[in-house]
Amino acid sequence: MPRPLGELEDAVMTRVWKWNRPVTVREVLEDLQQERSIAYTTVMTVLDNLHQKGWVRREAEGRAYRYEAVSTRAAYAAALMNEAWSRSDNPAAALVAFFGMMSAEQREALSDAMRIVQGPVTQGQPAQGPENLTGPANPGRSENPGGPENSGGPENPRGPENPGDAEHRAER
């Protein structure tokens, strides 16, 4: 389970996820400075910490790095929800309470997600499970579950800080 991101970590990761491309410290800094006063070294330290925790990978470009998200914001949110749900002593009651807090739009999104997970059911065929949702119908999922984001290497160590683990467990 990933530890929830702190306020500044979330602000930085929000930009990395939104831009969906490798970013520099300078780019993140300039965008953050539109909202708050912040030093270059602070942003550099946050991105380095996020790299150490397995949230971003980095590639050297000259004397600087370009940082890229290891997993999606959706995978992060799903891992947080899964962890919270799995810690409940009564998972069914926790789900009922959670669904009761949802807006009409969120319940509609849940219905859409359930239809995608279940897939079309025809006579004699089982419902399609999440392990089969790696094509264009589900663009947020990795098409290469054995790739760097699931390598267990130094860029994405397995363990409590790995934001992509819950997504990959669901694919197995």
Side-chain angles (χ1 to χ4, degrees):
M1 157 63 190
R3 178 184 58 82
L5 295 171
E7 180 191 348
L8 189 52
E9 290 174 328
D10 186 66
V12 169
M13 282 306 300
T14 294
R15 283 146 180 88
V16 174
W17 282 319
K18 180 177 76 173
W19 295 335
N20 197 27
R21 62 173 172 76
V23 300
T24 64
V25 172
R26 175 84 43 213
E27 290 173 309
V28 175
L29 171 72
E30 289 172 358
D31 201 58
L32 280 170
Q33 284 180 330
Q34 294 176 23
E35 299 173 2
R36 62 176 89 189
S37 177
I38 189 166
Y40 180 92
T41 53
T42 301
V43 177
M44 184 174 61
T45 298
V46 170
L47 279 164
D48 185 60
N49 290 342
L50 290 167
H51 175 256
Q52 296 300 320
K53 293 176 180 181
W55 288 101
V56 295
R57 65 178 64 92
R58 67 184 180 193
E59 193 168 314
E61 184 176 280
R63 292 175 42 206
Y65 287 107
R66 283 202 173 268
Y67 295 87
E68 185 175 20
V70 168
S71 66
T72 64
R73 181 161 199 115
Y76 165 68
L80 291 176
M81 289 187 289
N82 185 57
E83 177 66 15
W85 181 55
S86 68
R87 288 181 184 248
S88 172
D89 60 345
N90 188 342
L95 282 175
V96 169
F98 179 64
F99 297 155
M101 292 180 210
M102 293 176 130
S103 68
E105 293 82 18
Q106 290 170 322
R107 285 192 299 277
E108 183 64 29
L110 176 62
S111 284
D112 291 345
M114 290 303 297
R115 280 193 291 278
I116 290 169
V117 169
Q118 292 170 345
V121 179
T122 59
Q123 197 166 19
Q125 284 187 323
Q128 182 177 1
E131 67 279 357
N132 298 323
L133 295 177
T134 57
N138 193 9
R141 303 286 284 236
S142 169
E143 299 244 341
N144 181 11
E149 62 276 359
N150 195 23
S151 68
E155 289 183 333
N156 193 11
R158 295 196 175 274
E161 301 285 353
N162 184 1
D165 267 0
E167 178 183 42
H168 292 294
R169 276 195 302 274
E171 289 178 359
R172 290 189 185 124

